[in-house]
Amino acid sequence: MKFDPSSIKKQAEEDFDRAWNETASYVKFPILNERYPQVSLKYGKPHPVYDTISKLREAYLRMGFEEIMNPLIVDETEVHKQFGPESLAVLDRCFYLAGLPRPNVGISDERIAKIKEMIGDIGDEGIRIIREKLHAYKKGTIEGDDLVSEISGELGLSDSLIAEMIKEIFPEFKELKPIAGSKTLRSHMTSGWFISLSEMLKRREPPFHLFSIDRCFRREQQEDASRLMTYYSASCVIMDENVTVDYGKAVSEGLLSQFGFEKFLFRPDEKRSKYYTPETQIEVFAYHPKLVGSNTKYSDGWIEIATFGIYSPLALSNYDIPYPVMNLGLGVERLAMILFDATDLRSMSYPQITQYSEWELSDSDLAKMISIAETPQTAEGEEIVKAIVSEAELHGNEPSPCEFVAWEGEMMGKKVKVTVIEPEENTKLCGPAAFNEVLAYNNDILGLPNTKKWKKAFDNHAARTGIRFIDALASKAAREIEVAIEKGLSETETRARIIKTPAEINISLSPLAQRFITGKNKKIDIRGPVFTTIRAEIK
C-alpha cells in the first residue's frame, strides 16, 4: 500500500521505535485466497526436445560449425542417386507427398438452373464469371483457398453462400482423392546434405564445416517407446580434401563431451549403408554417469548415441562432388531422454497426450488448487474474518458454555456485532479439529493438526494451503453477514459441527485436483469435529 515518506520521517524523528513498529500497517494483509501458495509467480518451461536442440546448436557453433537448413522435401530421384541399390528399401520407409487433383468442372444447363435457384438470378454474365473462375482454378492461376473469395467478390455475394453453392452443385470437389507424386519427406538428413553440398560448391571453396538440426520423417510400422514417425536429427558434415574417419571421432568427442559424456567407444556399424565408403561407417558409444543404475537398458552407463562415416565417392559423384565428406548424425530425442531422465520417447515428446504419459502433479501443484469457497467482498468483512480467527485462537480452549465478542462496528450502513459462542455445556469454545490445516501430502489432500506426528507434511510449506478449518469457517460467516445485510435480515448464525467433506467447512477443490486424485486412487480426507458457532446481530 502507498505511504507518505515525509510523514514517516517525521514520526521516526519523534519516536523511531514506535514509527518502525507502526510501518507493519503499510503491508497489506492478504485474504485467504491470495496467500501463498495460492498466489504464485508463473514461469515458462522449455520442451525437452527443443531445449536439447538449443544446447546442440550452441555446442556445434562453439566447435566452429556453420548452421544451414537442408531441403525437407526431396524427390525420389535424389534417393536413388544417393542410396543406389538400397534406395527401394529407403523409399519404403519414406512418406510420399500427395495432393488433390484439380477437377475439370463443367456447367450444364441443369447446373445453371440450380445455381440461379440457390444464389439468385445472376444472369448470363454471372454464369460466365463462375465458369471462368473454375477454369482458372483448373489451370492453377487461382489457388484453392482463393476460389470462393474470387467468385464471391466478382458476384458481390457472401463467401458462405458461394461455398455452399460449390458444395451442393459441384460434387466433384467432395469426391477428389489425393494422388501421390514423386516428392517425399526427408527420411535421413543425408538426403538434404548431398543437394546442399553440390549447390554450395558452385559458389564457395571447401573446407566446409556445416551442421543442421531439423525434422526427419520415417514410415515406421508402429510407434513405441524407442521410435517415432517424426524425429529430429542433429547432423553435421565436414567437406575437406584431407578428411578422414578420425574427424568423426574428434567431432563425436568434442560434441558429446559438452553434454557430460566421459568415455567413448567406436565400433564398425554392421548396417554398412551404401552411401558410406566401405569400412568407414562407425557407431559411437559413449559413457554417461547419469545412466548408471537407471531404469533403462543403458544402466551400465554406455549408450549408442551417434553414427558417422565418409560418404561414398559413388554417391558424391552423382552430384559432381569431388571432395570426401565426413557425416555424423545423432537423434536429438535420444540425447534428450538422457538429459531429462526420460524412458519413453512418446511421453517425453508429447506429455500432453494422455495415452502417452502418466499424469503427475506435485503436492505444491495440488495445494494451489485448494481455496476458500465463500469469501467476504468488503473490507469490513475481511476484518471480521481476522477478528473471529483471533478470538478462536485466544479462547479456543475455554470451557463452555461461553461466548466472546469478536467484532463490533458499522458495515454496509448497519451496526453489526459478531460473537463466537458455544452454548452447550462440558465442551470448549472450539472443537479439536478447528485448527486443522488443509495441505497436500504424498498426493493426498488432508486436514491435519500441526503436531509432531505430521511434521514431514508440515515441513513442505509449498504444499501447505495456510487454510485452517477455522479460517474457512470465519470466511463463510463474514460472507453470510454481508448477504444478510443485503437481504435486510437482523441476525445470522454460522455453525460447524463434525465435518465430513470439504464443502461443509467452506473449502473448494478444483475439478482438476479431484479428477487427478480419483484417477490416482489417492484420498481427500478433510474431516473432524469443529463444533464452533459464529453469531451476528445486525441493527
Side-chain angles (χ1 to χ4, degrees):
M1 118 182 3
K2 190 175 181 180
F3 52 84
D4 181 5
S6 60
S7 174
I8 290 178
K9 285 189 290 185
K10 183 178 180 180
Q11 293 171 20
E13 290 173 359
E14 296 172 355
D15 187 338
F16 180 87
D17 193 58
R18 179 184 176 185
W20 179 77
N21 280 292
E22 288 181 352
T23 56
S25 63
Y26 293 105
V27 179
K28 180 185 176 183
F29 186 81
I31 62 174
L32 288 166
N33 284 344
E34 293 179 356
R35 297 180 189 173
Y36 176 82
Q38 280 74 22
V39 61
S40 61
L41 300 179
K42 303 298 182 182
Y43 57 90
K45 183 180 179 182
H47 189 283
V49 174
Y50 293 120
D51 189 61
T52 304
I53 288 173
S54 177
K55 290 180 171 65
L56 279 165
R57 290 183 69 247
E58 293 172 1
Y60 271 125
L61 290 168
R62 278 193 292 267
M63 294 171 64
F65 282 78
E66 175 187 349
E67 185 173 32
I68 74 165
M69 184 181 292
N70 281 316
L72 180 64
I73 298 174
V74 178
D75 195 276
E76 64 180 6
T77 57
E78 305 291 343
V79 178
H80 286 291
K81 289 164 65 176
Q82 297 160 11
F83 291 87
E86 291 179 331
S87 59
L88 293 179
V90 172
L91 288 169
D92 179 66
R93 302 183 70 181
C94 287
F95 288 100
Y96 276 79
L97 296 177
L100 294 174
R102 297 196 167 189
N104 188 14
V105 180
I107 305 181
S108 62
D109 291 342
E110 182 182 357
R111 284 185 171 179
I112 290 173
K114 288 182 178 179
I115 290 171
K116 292 181 177 180
E117 179 183 346
M118 188 170 189
I119 67 174
D121 189 359
I122 55 175
D124 293 341
E125 178 62 16
I127 297 299
R128 182 191 66 77
I129 290 171
I130 294 175
R131 182 179 283 114
E132 285 185 355
K133 296 300 180 183
L134 289 173
H135 184 61
Y137 165 73
K138 170 64 178 177
K139 290 167 57 180
T141 55
I142 293 179
E143 296 298 329
D145 52 358
D146 293 329
L147 178 60
V148 170
S149 61
E150 286 278 345
I151 296 175
S152 63
E154 289 282 342
L155 296 180
L157 300 172
S158 69
D159 285 359
S160 59
L161 183 60
I162 299 303
E164 189 66 21
M165 177 201 73
I166 291 175
K167 175 183 174 183
E168 296 297 326
I169 299 176
F170 300 99
E172 294 93 334
F173 288 91
K174 290 192 296 183
E175 296 165 0
L176 294 176
K177 302 295 182 184
I179 298 176
S182 61
K183 303 292 186 183
T184 73
L185 290 175
R186 175 182 63 205
S187 64
H188 299 68
M189 190 63 78
T190 287
S191 299
W193 278 128
F194 280 92
I195 298 169
S196 292
L197 291 172
S198 66
E199 292 297 318
M200 290 177 70
L201 277 176
K202 298 175 182 178
R203 299 181 178 180
R204 294 169 56 180
E205 287 287 335
F208 300 151
H209 289 68
L210 310 170
F211 80 94
S212 184
I213 305 173
D214 206 347
R215 280 196 184 274
C216 293
F217 301 83
R218 193 166 295 179
R219 194 169 65 94
E220 303 283 4
Q221 293 300 314
Q222 63 179 16
E223 294 185 323
D224 56 31
S226 61
R227 60 171 63 88
L228 297 173
M229 291 191 183
T230 175
Y231 65 96
Y232 281 91
S233 172
S235 180
C236 72
V237 293
I238 297 179
M239 177 188 283
D240 192 334
E241 189 171 348
N242 299 311
V243 75
T244 67
V245 170
D246 291 86
Y247 279 63
K249 296 177 180 178
V251 171
S252 299
E253 180 179 356
L255 181 67
L256 294 170
S257 62
Q258 298 183 60
F259 292 90
F261 291 93
E262 298 175 347
K263 296 180 284 188
F264 300 90
L265 290 175
F266 304 104
R267 297 176 182 171
D269 191 338
E270 296 179 356
K271 291 193 288 288
R272 295 172 58 84
S273 301
K274 294 298 186 290
Y275 61 89
Y276 282 133
T277 302
E279 312 304 326
T280 69
Q281 186 171 344
I282 306 295
E283 291 179 319
V284 180
F285 291 81
Y287 177 86
H288 200 299
K290 197 171 185 178
L291 290 169
V292 177
S294 62
N295 187 28
T296 68
K297 62 180 179 180
Y298 311 111
S299 58
D300 62 352
W302 288 92
I303 183 173
E304 179 196 345
I305 193 69
T307 301
F308 67 84
I310 306 294
Y311 281 152
S312 167
L314 291 177
L316 291 170
S317 296
N318 288 329
Y319 289 86
D320 296 323
I321 297 174
Y323 301 99
V325 178
M326 189 285 297
N327 163 244
L328 178 141
L330 64 87
V332 172
E333 286 83 355
R334 178 167 291 192
L335 179 57
M337 289 178 75
I338 299 169
L339 301 179
F340 288 87
D341 298 319
T343 57
D344 191 308
L345 273 178
R346 297 164 300 180
S347 61
M348 181 188 71
S349 300
Y350 309 110
Q352 74 276 16
I353 307 298
T354 55
Q355 71 184 82
Y356 290 154
S357 61
E358 286 291 320
W359 189 9
E360 300 294 340
L361 288 177
S362 67
D363 288 340
S364 175
D365 294 329
L366 285 172
K368 291 177 174 63
M369 299 179 187
I370 304 166
S371 61
I372 299 291
E374 295 182 59
T375 59
Q377 306 299 304
T378 63
E380 293 82 4
E382 293 176 15
E383 290 178 11
I384 289 172
V385 173
K386 289 189 286 184
I388 292 171
V389 171
S390 178
E391 287 300 309
E393 290 174 337
L394 186 62
H395 302 291
N397 287 323
E398 290 287 334
S400 61
C402 59
E403 72 175 68
F404 299 89
V405 176
W407 189 87
E408 285 187 273
E410 188 170 307
M411 182 182 192
M412 300 167 66
K414 299 287 186 178
K415 292 183 178 180
V416 178
K417 178 181 178 182
V418 181
T419 308
V420 185
I421 67 172
E422 177 48 64
E424 296 183 7
E425 296 183 352
N426 301 320
T427 181
K428 297 179 180 180
L429 179 66
C430 298
F435 297 96
N436 284 10
E437 183 177 337
V438 181
L439 49 76
Y441 182 56
N442 293 335
N443 275 181
D444 293 325
I445 294 179
L446 309 172
L448 299 175
N450 193 347
T451 60
K452 185 177 180 180
K453 177 182 178 181
W454 296 106
K455 183 178 184 303
K456 287 185 178 180
F458 281 86
D459 279 348
N460 181 9
H461 286 202
R464 293 175 58 177
T465 66
I467 300 171
R468 298 170 300 175
F469 290 3
I470 188 64
D471 299 316
L473 180 63
S475 184
K476 181 179 181 181
R479 180 56 187 154
E480 289 184 350
I481 293 169
E482 292 173 342
V483 173
I485 294 174
E486 291 170 355
K487 291 182 177 180
L489 302 179
S490 61
E491 65 176 7
T492 67
E493 185 171 281
T494 305
R495 178 181 299 178
R497 293 190 175 278
I498 295 179
I499 301 304
K500 297 179 181 178
T501 67
E504 290 180 355
I505 196 63
N506 192 34
I507 290 173
S508 175
L509 274 63
S510 78
L512 197 65
Q514 295 188 45
R515 190 160 66 247
F516 174 80
I517 288 173
T518 301
K520 292 289 185 177
N521 291 320
K522 304 301 288 184
K523 63 183 177 182
I524 300 172
D525 190 356
I526 297 177
R527 55 193 173 93
V530 175
F531 292 115
T532 302
T533 301
I534 300 160
R535 182 175 296 163
E537 299 175 11
I538 305 168
K539 296 181 181 180

